[in-house]
Structures are given as C-alpha cells and as structure tokens.
Amino acid sequence: MNVGDLVRFVEQDWEQPGIGYVEDWTGIIVDKVVDDDGTIEELHILWKHGKVSDYPSSWWNRLTYFPFEVISESR
C-alpha cells in the first residue's frame, strides 16, 4: 500500500455486525507512517462515503487481519 492507492474495506471487515456501512466506502491513501523496520504504523485515508472525510486509520494494526485492499494502484 502506497500513497495514492485507491482502497476499500475487505469483505471480512464489512460483513461484521454493526459495521456494514463501510461496504461502499472508497478511499485514497494520502499519508503513510512507517516505523524503523518498515512496518506500516498508520495510514491516513481520504474516504468518500456520501461525503469526503480524512479519517486517520491508526486503529487497524491492532486487528488480526488487514482490513483494507487496494482496488487501484497509484501510478
């Protein structure tokens, strides 16, 4: 995942009870914070979901799975 990539939530994420609302969210990665060993610590994603919002996605790295998938890579 790189800055400029278009992403969405993986089906495993939006199929969970209570968070199905993210099924149609599409976002673009606008910033990526990486630690010293190259692990992605935080992704800032500009989401479009009826409105556009910057949602710092730093919570995802505590999950047992990766909740985003790239649907179009930056060029």
Side-chain angles (χ1 to χ4, degrees), residues 19-67:
I19 57 173
Y21 60 90
V22 300
E23 178 179 0
D24 62 349
W25 287 28
T26 303
I28 186 168
I29 299 174
V30 294
D31 191 22
K32 177 170 113 175
V33 179
V34 180
D35 68 11
D36 292 336
D37 69 357
T39 303
I40 300 172
E41 286 295 317
E42 187 171 333
L43 293 170
H44 286 259
I45 302 171
L46 191 62
W47 290 105
K48 180 182 179 311
H49 53 91
K51 61 182 179 177
V52 176
S53 62
D54 179 13
Y55 183 72
S57 301
S58 58
W59 49 267
W60 60 269
N61 57 6
R62 293 185 284 269
L63 299 174
T64 59
Y65 63 95
F66 197 76

